[in-house]
Structure formats: C-alpha cells, structure tokens
Amino acid sequence: MADIIDILPDHVANQIAAGEVIQRPASIVKELLENAVDAGASQIHLQIKDAGRTLVQVTDNGCGMSLSDSRRCFERHATSKIKAANDIFSIRTKGFRGEALASIAAVAQVDMITKRPDDEIGSHVVIEGSDPVNHEPTGCQDGTRIQVKNLFYNIPARRNFLKSNPVETRHIMDEFHRVAIAHPGISFGFHHNENEVYQLPAGPLRQRLVGLFGKNFNQRLVPLEETTDLATITGFIGKPEFARKTRGEQFFFVNNRFIKSSYLHHAVQSAYTDLIQRDAHPSYFIFLEVDPNTIDINIHPTKTEIKFEDEKALYAILQSTVKRSLGQYNISPALDFEQESAFSHLPPPTPGQKVSAPEVKVDKDYNPFRAKTEKHGPSVEDAMRFTQAMFREDAGEAEEAQEEQHIISPEWNNTQDSSSTKVRAQLHNTFILTQVKSGVMIIDQQLAHERILFERFLDQLELHQGQSQQLLFPENVELSREDYDILMEIEDDVKALGFDLAHFGKHSVVVHGMPADLGPGEPKEQIESLVEQYKNNRSRFSLPKRENLARSLARNASVKAGKALGSEEMDNLIDGLFACRQPYVSPDGRPTVTTLTLDSIRQIFKSR
Ligand code: ADP
Ligand code: MG
C-alpha cells in the first residue's frame, strides 16, 4: 500500500498558524508596532484605512534589515531575537516566536521597504499569500515601512468573520494604546483614513496618558511606587471619584509587556472596595517589573497571558500598594456616592465669585498595615491575610480582620480536629454553610464548582489529558455554519478536553465520546452550549482561547444554584475548592467564599 502521510506545504502551514496569531486587523497592528519597538525605533507611525481592512501601515526609524533578511523575515520561525530554546526565559523583546510576519504574509498582501542606517541602499519586498512577487534593492530612508493590504483577501470565510468598522477600529485603538502606554519614550503618530487620530511626542508616562485620554486625565491620576524582592511596581491609578460604570482604562504591563490577568485585576479592584460603588471600574496603568525567570510568557501565541511563579504574593503586594497609594492621597472611604450626582446640580459660580481649587491632602506616612508592621511595608503573611479579608462580603471588616490570626483555608482543614462537631448545611440549595473556628464560612456552590472545574480543564488542556467517556451510540450533531466554524477553530483543544469527535459531512460532527467530567447530558446540547459560551466570552472579554474554553466548559458543567447537594457532595466540593490554586475567586473574578466572623455576629446582637 502507498504511504499516505504528506508534509503540509509551507503556505498551508503558514495559513493554519496565521489563524492563531492573526485574528483581525488589530492583530496586525499589534505585531507591526511591536516589531518597530523591538527594532529600537524612536519614532513610529501607524496608518490604517477602513478599520485596517484595506491597509495597515507602520513606519519606523529603527534598525532596518539587510537585503536577505528582508526576505527571510517572512519565513516561519524567522527571528533575530532568540537563538536557543533557553533564551525565551530571559526574553526582553516583544516578539520572539518569529511567527508574525510569516502569518501576516500568508493572509494578506505585504509591501515592505527597509534599510539599515549603515547601508547605502535599502530593499523592497512584495509578498502575496506567502508567495514572493518582488524582491529588489531600492533607495529609501533608514528604518522600515511595512504595508499590509487587503487582510484575508484569500480567505473569504475569515474576512466575513470580521466585525463592523467601529468594532474593528476599537480593537486597533486598544492595541495602539497598549503599545503607546508601554513606551512613552517613543513618539507615536496614528492616522485613520488620512485623519490624524494621535500625535504623541516622547515624554514621561503622565504626559503620554494625558495625550491619549485627554487633559482632564491629569488630575485623576495617583502615582504608584513600590519595590519588593518579588516585583517593582510603578505607574498610576485613577482616583476613586473618577471610577465609572463603564469599564475604564485598565492596563497591566509586566516587564513592559501588556498582559491580561483577571487575578491581578481583582487585587486592584478589591483595594478600591468601600471607595467606589460595587459596579464601578477604576482606571489603572500598572507596570510590574519582575525577574524574567519567574514568569512564563509562552503559554499563548498572542502572549497577553502570563504565569507567575508566586502569584499569591504578587496579588497581596499589588493590592497593598494600591491601597497605600490611595491612602496616601487621603481619599476618604466615607465618600457619599448618593451625593455625587447632587454636585452636578450646584449652581454655576457667579461672575467674579472666587472659586477655590479642591485640595488633595497627602498623608505620606499612611500605611494600611501600620498596626502590624514596621517601616518596610507589609509582610507577605499580613498581606495575604488582608487579601482573604477583602473577599468577605462585608469588606468593612477588612482592617479588623488583619488582626485575626486565621486564614480561611488552613482553618477549614482544622475543623475536623476542633472540639466542636462538624456543622455543615446547604442554604436555599445555593450556598453551603460550614462552621470554622472564627465563625461561619459561606460558599457559593456554583461559583466554587466553576473554579474547581476551570482549573481541572485548564490543566487538561495544558497536558492533553482530558478523560473521555465513550458513548454507547455515537451521535451525529449538526451545527449552524457559524457554530461549526468556531468548533473547528477550537477543535484541537476541545479534543484535548476529552471530546472524541470526527468530521461528518457539511457542518456536522460525529461524537464518539464526551469529557468524563461533564456528567450526563445530550452531546448536541453540550456542544451547542459550549460553543455559545465560548462565543459570549470571546466577544465580552476577548479571553485567550484556552482560558475561554475552560471557562465555558466549567460554566456548563458546574452544579447550578438551586441544586440540592448531599453531605458527601458538599464535602467534596469544599475539599476540591481548597485544593485549587486560586480558591477564593471564581473564573470570572467573583468571590467564591465569604466568612462571617463570630465577632461580627456578636456585634449584631450587641448593638441592640
Ligand atoms: P519576531 O518578532 O517574533 O522575531 P516577526 O515575524 O515579528 O518575529 O519578525 C521576524 C524578524 O524580522 C524579527 O526577528 C526581526 O529581525 C525582523 N523585523 C521585523 N520587523 C522589523 C522592523 N520593523 N525593523 C527591523 N527588523 C524587523
Ligand atoms: Mg514580532
């Protein structure tokens, strides 16, 4: 019999790889801007047409490329940034995979001119769908100008998947903001359809933020500054009174690389508890400098997710730093929000009336941990304890709780040997109550289970170890065109989770097996709701693929509020939760657990 395995031709492999890296015009903007930064440019100009559909052009005055490099850079795994596998642990540049230009060239028409400052003459390269059309020496300025035209001209399905111009432009703005904020020392310009969007001179970070978000921003910023062994934290946070209902500007940079972290976000948001309304969002622009050896940035091709070696300590440090900065600027926790709107009804000042500027009182010595610690800020233990306390429903207890000697999870493990008998109950088929030393712990059963499953699915995705439960009768599932396309996009990961699928005709798959953790349920429903969740998460949070998938599946498979649980199920849930890496938050950042302390219960009755 003849051999049947072929190696994919390069342009096919490139197109497949491009699916991961290039999702929309904004992906191109990100990659090109980052390359310009990596090239050491001091001036970078972005120009787009039609929300980037017909043109994304980036011009820089960086190091440029030689004639042969100007062709080689479009090959896969072509990078000047790492030479050996080990280098990726000490990465300082933005890119390093050598995937971006190859991917872009596979799905668009690319025209590039580039010249190194020391060369007499530059190079001109034209590539369409990975095929070189032109490559010749040319006279040009130092640096690189790269044009990416007609994205997905050769893949109509993906072109049709793009959203409206305003949505695509919004994504491009986001990417531009991220790079421009991370590099205030570089001057940036941005034109859309010949209109100037930004012209940002090089300068300090504060000036850059004002340039991007408007003059009013200046008075809203509180500086952050903290140095610990684990991390150096700098940047700005927004004053609580400017927090808004719509999600404001929220940025984390780790070693100058923009990242998303719902966990660190939670640390910041919780530092604002009591200062802003529950549904309000503070702005922040936070830079973390950490030892590159303590992070793993290689878990996702678009690299907005990072793993930290010591995430919990970082959480605690970040939260305390934000809290201290807010405290130093003496932002009163007694802000009366209901009053806030009343201000807008104040009569305008009459002509000649003197209006005094509002003062900001600065208490440089303010330290939320003063009760426990000396000069150098909180110990990690204190900070962690504080963190736990902040998750409580009644966060007003947080300061008091610092004085307590308990941390929730060890306490749970202690219940067995405490003299009291084990008390455990389900409340309204929704919450689990359990007695702990300091009082009573309340667990949200659905959120807790989502957390447990989320971590399990993430691990399975990473390790490709999803257990599959074979179906007695394979089932044919027909999907809508759109759902089918999405399923195909995430097929590998879906399989890693334990779905055993095979293609079957147009828009259909045959399901032979399902993840064992999913429990009973019709394959069709399970797959449809998985895809549905995945779509929702993608449009609402633009999560990385795997996190999105793990979250979607966890949401689907979790026990829901309203489900009666037996005592063994409750025990398993509690044990499972505290075996998690991040037991206290649900995958979407809500608290899973709260504790009512005995003291606070006593207080309720005393106050009568
Ligand atoms: P990566 O950035 O991961 O190395 P890319 O595909 O983005 O991969 O780029 C490939 C290589 O092309 C880079 O390593 C760099 O050597 C070169 N390059 C890309 N853009 C520029 C630029 N604007 N100026 C100079 N060199 C560039
Ligand atoms: Mg790159």
mmCIF file of all heavy atoms in Angstrom, residues 14 60 74 119 132 198 216 261 282 300 306 350 356 366 390 417 430 480 494 501 503 528 564 573 580:
data_model
loop_
_atom_site.group_PDB
_atom_site.id
_atom_site.type_symbol
_atom_site.label_atom_id
_atom_site.label_comp_id
_atom_site.label_asym_id
_atom_site.label_seq_id
_atom_site.Cartn_x
_atom_site.Cartn_y
_atom_site.Cartn_z
ATOM 1 N N ASN A 14 1.534 27.923 7.048
ATOM 2 C CA ASN A 14 1.502 29.336 7.453
ATOM 3 C C ASN A 14 0.078 29.822 7.659
ATOM 4 O O ASN A 14 -0.204 30.553 8.595
ATOM 5 C CB ASN A 14 2.172 30.211 6.395
ATOM 6 C CG ASN A 14 3.683 30.135 6.488
ATOM 7 O OD1 ASN A 14 4.213 29.701 7.512
ATOM 8 N ND2 ASN A 14 4.362 30.537 5.432
ATOM 9 N N ASP A 60 8.755 52.994 10.760
ATOM 10 C CA ASP A 60 9.610 53.249 11.924
ATOM 11 C C ASP A 60 10.983 53.715 11.474
ATOM 12 O O ASP A 60 11.356 53.562 10.311
ATOM 13 C CB ASP A 60 9.704 52.005 12.811
ATOM 14 C CG ASP A 60 10.486 50.865 12.172
ATOM 15 O OD1 ASP A 60 11.660 51.075 11.804
ATOM 16 O OD2 ASP A 60 9.931 49.752 12.039
ATOM 17 N N PHE A 74 10.058 36.811 6.466
ATOM 18 C CA PHE A 74 8.703 36.318 6.205
ATOM 19 C C PHE A 74 8.612 34.801 6.255
ATOM 20 O O PHE A 74 7.566 34.220 5.992
ATOM 21 C CB PHE A 74 8.204 36.823 4.849
ATOM 22 C CG PHE A 74 7.966 38.310 4.836
ATOM 23 C CD1 PHE A 74 8.864 39.168 4.227
ATOM 24 C CD2 PHE A 74 6.861 38.840 5.487
ATOM 25 C CE1 PHE A 74 8.658 40.544 4.241
ATOM 26 C CE2 PHE A 74 6.647 40.206 5.510
ATOM 27 C CZ PHE A 74 7.548 41.064 4.886
ATOM 28 N N ASP A 119 23.716 51.013 5.650
ATOM 29 C CA ASP A 119 23.692 50.580 4.248
ATOM 30 C C ASP A 119 23.433 51.760 3.325
ATOM 31 O O ASP A 119 22.735 52.706 3.668
ATOM 32 C CB ASP A 119 22.596 49.525 4.018
ATOM 33 C CG ASP A 119 22.933 48.199 4.688
ATOM 34 O OD1 ASP A 119 24.118 48.028 5.051
ATOM 35 O OD2 ASP A 119 22.015 47.377 4.860
ATOM 36 N N PRO A 132 6.431 35.191 -2.907
ATOM 37 C CA PRO A 132 7.183 36.411 -3.205
ATOM 38 C C PRO A 132 6.837 36.907 -4.612
ATOM 39 O O PRO A 132 6.823 36.127 -5.557
ATOM 40 C CB PRO A 132 8.644 35.955 -3.130
ATOM 41 C CG PRO A 132 8.611 34.483 -3.173
ATOM 42 C CD PRO A 132 7.258 34.013 -2.781
ATOM 43 N N TYR A 198 -3.867 60.498 16.614
ATOM 44 C CA TYR A 198 -2.953 60.889 17.690
ATOM 45 C C TYR A 198 -1.640 61.401 17.114
ATOM 46 O O TYR A 198 -1.181 60.910 16.092
ATOM 47 C CB TYR A 198 -2.597 59.691 18.583
ATOM 48 C CG TYR A 198 -3.703 59.186 19.442
ATOM 49 C CD1 TYR A 198 -4.216 57.904 19.235
ATOM 50 C CD2 TYR A 198 -4.219 59.956 20.477
ATOM 51 C CE1 TYR A 198 -5.234 57.413 20.044
ATOM 52 C CE2 TYR A 198 -5.231 59.475 21.286
ATOM 53 C CZ TYR A 198 -5.738 58.204 21.067
ATOM 54 O OH TYR A 198 -6.732 57.720 21.857
ATOM 55 N N ASN A 216 -8.152 66.305 30.966
ATOM 56 C CA ASN A 216 -8.805 66.063 32.256
ATOM 57 C C ASN A 216 -8.155 64.936 33.036
ATOM 58 O O ASN A 216 -8.312 64.843 34.247
ATOM 59 C CB ASN A 216 -10.269 65.690 32.042
ATOM 60 C CG ASN A 216 -11.049 66.875 31.550
ATOM 61 O OD1 ASN A 216 -10.605 68.010 31.733
ATOM 62 N ND2 ASN A 216 -12.175 66.610 30.911
ATOM 63 N N SER A 261 -4.866 39.917 33.231
ATOM 64 C CA SER A 261 -4.911 38.987 34.352
ATOM 65 C C SER A 261 -6.122 39.318 35.200
ATOM 66 O O SER A 261 -6.165 40.345 35.865
ATOM 67 C CB SER A 261 -3.630 39.103 35.184
ATOM 68 O OG SER A 261 -3.824 38.470 36.434
ATOM 69 N N PRO A 282 -12.369 51.354 38.377
ATOM 70 C CA PRO A 282 -11.299 52.345 38.446
ATOM 71 C C PRO A 282 -10.387 52.222 37.218
ATOM 72 O O PRO A 282 -10.310 51.160 36.611
ATOM 73 C CB PRO A 282 -10.532 51.936 39.708
ATOM 74 C CG PRO A 282 -10.750 50.463 39.829
ATOM 75 C CD PRO A 282 -12.112 50.186 39.239
ATOM 76 N N HIS A 300 0.649 31.327 25.420
ATOM 77 C CA HIS A 300 -0.329 31.661 24.406
ATOM 78 C C HIS A 300 0.332 32.460 23.300
ATOM 79 O O HIS A 300 1.113 33.350 23.577
ATOM 80 C CB HIS A 300 -1.462 32.471 25.040
ATOM 81 C CG HIS A 300 -2.605 32.683 24.103
ATOM 82 N ND1 HIS A 300 -2.789 33.871 23.455
ATOM 83 C CD2 HIS A 300 -3.585 31.855 23.698
ATOM 84 C CE1 HIS A 300 -3.862 33.765 22.676
ATOM 85 N NE2 HIS A 300 -4.352 32.562 22.815
ATOM 86 N N ILE A 306 0.152 35.576 31.284
ATOM 87 C CA ILE A 306 1.442 35.252 31.870
ATOM 88 C C ILE A 306 1.214 34.354 33.069
ATOM 89 O O ILE A 306 0.215 34.469 33.754
ATOM 90 C CB ILE A 306 2.152 36.547 32.332
ATOM 91 C CG1 ILE A 306 2.887 37.188 31.177
ATOM 92 C CG2 ILE A 306 3.088 36.298 33.451
ATOM 93 C CD1 ILE A 306 3.866 38.234 31.610
ATOM 94 N N THR A 350 -21.126 82.542 40.144
ATOM 95 C CA THR A 350 -21.471 83.818 39.521
ATOM 96 C C THR A 350 -20.188 84.530 39.120
ATOM 97 O O THR A 350 -19.140 84.287 39.710
ATOM 98 C CB THR A 350 -22.229 84.711 40.519
ATOM 99 O OG1 THR A 350 -21.510 84.721 41.753
ATOM 100 C CG2 THR A 350 -23.632 84.198 40.748
ATOM 101 N N SER A 356 -12.332 78.289 44.985
ATOM 102 C CA SER A 356 -11.048 77.729 45.388
ATOM 103 C C SER A 356 -10.896 76.321 44.833
ATOM 104 O O SER A 356 -11.845 75.549 44.792
ATOM 105 C CB SER A 356 -10.923 77.719 46.914
ATOM 106 O OG SER A 356 -12.064 77.113 47.460
ATOM 107 N N TYR A 366 0.831 57.358 55.572
ATOM 108 C CA TYR A 366 -0.274 56.432 55.676
ATOM 109 C C TYR A 366 0.145 55.030 55.264
ATOM 110 O O TYR A 366 0.775 54.823 54.240
ATOM 111 C CB TYR A 366 -1.448 56.866 54.795
ATOM 112 C CG TYR A 366 -2.579 55.870 54.849
ATOM 113 C CD1 TYR A 366 -3.482 55.900 55.906
ATOM 114 C CD2 TYR A 366 -2.702 54.894 53.872
ATOM 115 C CE1 TYR A 366 -4.506 54.975 55.962
ATOM 116 C CE2 TYR A 366 -3.718 53.962 53.936
ATOM 117 C CZ TYR A 366 -4.625 54.001 54.984
ATOM 118 O OH TYR A 366 -5.628 53.076 55.035
ATOM 119 N N MET A 390 -10.406 40.766 52.385
ATOM 120 C CA MET A 390 -11.048 41.617 51.399
ATOM 121 C C MET A 390 -12.100 40.882 50.594
ATOM 122 O O MET A 390 -12.940 41.469 49.952
ATOM 123 C CB MET A 390 -10.005 42.190 50.428
ATOM 124 C CG MET A 390 -9.071 43.186 51.048
ATOM 125 S SD MET A 390 -9.911 44.567 51.812
ATOM 126 C CE MET A 390 -10.472 45.431 50.359
ATOM 127 N N ASP A 417 -10.455 18.494 63.647
ATOM 128 C CA ASP A 417 -9.910 18.224 64.967
ATOM 129 C C ASP A 417 -10.340 19.265 66.004
ATOM 130 O O ASP A 417 -9.968 19.185 67.149
ATOM 131 C CB ASP A 417 -8.381 18.100 64.918
ATOM 132 C CG ASP A 417 -7.747 19.323 64.326
ATOM 133 O OD1 ASP A 417 -7.902 20.390 64.914
ATOM 134 O OD2 ASP A 417 -7.097 19.208 63.264
ATOM 135 N N THR A 430 -28.320 26.618 47.428
ATOM 136 C CA THR A 430 -27.456 27.542 46.682
ATOM 137 C C THR A 430 -26.108 27.760 47.373
ATOM 138 O O THR A 430 -25.076 27.809 46.727
ATOM 139 C CB THR A 430 -28.161 28.900 46.529
ATOM 140 O OG1 THR A 430 -29.380 28.710 45.827
ATOM 141 C CG2 THR A 430 -27.299 29.880 45.743
ATOM 142 N N SER A 480 -24.975 24.937 13.185
ATOM 143 C CA SER A 480 -25.089 26.046 12.242
ATOM 144 C C SER A 480 -23.711 26.305 11.644
ATOM 145 O O SER A 480 -22.689 25.913 12.218
ATOM 146 C CB SER A 480 -25.562 27.309 12.960
ATOM 147 O OG SER A 480 -24.510 27.834 13.737
ATOM 148 N N VAL A 494 -10.649 21.248 22.118
ATOM 149 C CA VAL A 494 -11.862 20.536 22.508
ATOM 150 C C VAL A 494 -11.563 19.043 22.655
ATOM 151 O O VAL A 494 -12.005 18.381 23.586
ATOM 152 C CB VAL A 494 -12.970 20.787 21.467
ATOM 153 C CG1 VAL A 494 -14.109 19.809 21.641
ATOM 154 C CG2 VAL A 494 -13.483 22.210 21.585
ATOM 155 N N LEU A 501 -14.394 13.507 18.655
ATOM 156 C CA LEU A 501 -15.213 13.951 17.524
ATOM 157 C C LEU A 501 -14.611 13.503 16.207
ATOM 158 O O LEU A 501 -13.405 13.377 16.096
ATOM 159 C CB LEU A 501 -15.251 15.486 17.443
ATOM 160 C CG LEU A 501 -15.610 16.310 18.650
ATOM 161 C CD1 LEU A 501 -15.383 17.777 18.316
ATOM 162 C CD2 LEU A 501 -17.046 16.064 19.026
ATOM 163 N N HIS A 503 -15.184 14.465 11.859
ATOM 164 C CA HIS A 503 -15.934 15.270 10.895
ATOM 165 C C HIS A 503 -16.922 14.386 10.177
ATOM 166 O O HIS A 503 -16.665 13.223 9.926
ATOM 167 C CB HIS A 503 -14.975 15.881 9.876
ATOM 168 C CG HIS A 503 -14.022 16.814 10.522
ATOM 169 N ND1 HIS A 503 -13.980 18.143 10.253
ATOM 170 C CD2 HIS A 503 -13.087 16.605 11.471
ATOM 171 C CE1 HIS A 503 -13.048 18.709 10.991
ATOM 172 N NE2 HIS A 503 -12.486 17.781 11.736
ATOM 173 N N GLU A 528 -23.442 22.530 21.713
ATOM 174 C CA GLU A 528 -24.009 23.830 21.347
ATOM 175 C C GLU A 528 -23.819 24.855 22.460
ATOM 176 O O GLU A 528 -23.450 26.003 22.214
ATOM 177 C CB GLU A 528 -25.499 23.690 21.023
ATOM 178 C CG GLU A 528 -25.717 23.266 19.586
ATOM 179 C CD GLU A 528 -27.192 23.043 19.265
ATOM 180 O OE1 GLU A 528 -28.015 23.046 20.203
ATOM 181 O OE2 GLU A 528 -27.491 22.872 18.083
ATOM 182 N N ALA A 564 -29.997 20.634 44.974
ATOM 183 C CA ALA A 564 -29.791 20.089 46.319
ATOM 184 C C ALA A 564 -28.558 19.191 46.310
ATOM 185 O O ALA A 564 -28.331 18.444 45.359
ATOM 186 C CB ALA A 564 -31.016 19.290 46.741
ATOM 187 N N LEU A 573 -16.975 19.148 47.450
ATOM 188 C CA LEU A 573 -16.892 20.479 46.869
ATOM 189 C C LEU A 573 -15.942 21.360 47.687
ATOM 190 O O LEU A 573 -15.093 22.061 47.138
ATOM 191 C CB LEU A 573 -18.285 21.099 46.820
ATOM 192 C CG LEU A 573 -18.405 22.293 45.909
ATOM 193 C CD1 LEU A 573 -18.529 21.848 44.463
ATOM 194 C CD2 LEU A 573 -19.618 23.128 46.274
ATOM 195 N N CYS A 580 -7.653 24.040 45.152
ATOM 196 C CA CYS A 580 -7.389 24.850 43.959
ATOM 197 C C CYS A 580 -6.234 25.808 44.185
ATOM 198 O O CYS A 580 -5.922 26.172 45.308
ATOM 199 C CB CYS A 580 -8.631 25.664 43.587
ATOM 200 S SG CYS A 580 -9.912 24.702 42.795
#
